[in-house]
Amino acid sequence: MKVFLKGDERSEFFERTERLFGQTLSLEDPIIYECSESINQQGEFFWNELWHSKQDFLDHLETDHFKLWFRWVEPRLTESLHVDYVELSKTKLI
């Protein structure tokens, strides 16, 4: 996810994202829910999420706390979101 954050929007982004994390972790029980910013490109964030099912992920996208967060983030996106979804049953542990 690439976002353009000007001035104080950067701190607001992190505050809103921290709130999103708190609500997501306490209400939805994802297995992994992480976000990291690129060390090469400020404003480029990588989300690593592991859900119990695809439906749990889709349900997360419909929660009020996610929609509130995304409503603020979406106008600041500099490109379309790119989401890769992989079924765990189709992966191998190496």
Side-chain angles (χ1 to χ4, degrees):
M1 174 180 89
K2 293 183 181 181
V3 293
F4 177 71
L5 303 167
K6 55 186 173 189
D8 61 342
E9 287 182 336
R10 186 167 171 77
S11 62
E12 186 171 355
F13 171 82
F14 285 108
E15 288 169 15
R16 288 175 177 270
T17 302
E18 186 175 333
R19 234 180 351 262
L20 170 68
F21 267 71
Q23 292 171 318
T24 299
L25 293 172
S26 68
L27 299 173
E28 299 179 77
D29 190 37
I31 300 166
I32 296 173
Y33 196 71
E34 303 171 332
C35 178
S36 302
E37 186 173 20
S38 171
I39 62 171
N40 297 313
Q41 181 66 45
Q42 189 175 47
E44 183 174 15
F45 296 90
F46 299 91
W47 293 78
N48 182 27
E49 302 179 32
L50 180 58
W51 294 88
H52 295 279
S53 69
K54 184 175 183 178
Q55 189 58 53
D56 285 351
F57 169 68
L58 296 174
D59 290 347
H60 167 65
L61 299 180
E62 294 301 319
T63 61
D64 290 339
H65 55 272
F66 178 82
K67 287 181 177 182
L68 179 66
W69 176 84
F70 194 66
R71 201 172 13 247
W72 187 88
V73 169
E74 188 172 27
R76 293 159 179 84
L77 291 175
T78 60
E79 61 183 42
S80 299
L81 287 181
H82 177 82
V83 177
D84 290 323
Y85 177 83
V86 178
E87 301 255 354
L88 283 179
S89 63
K90 296 181 180 167
T91 64
K92 292 181 183 179
L93 186 60
I94 56 170

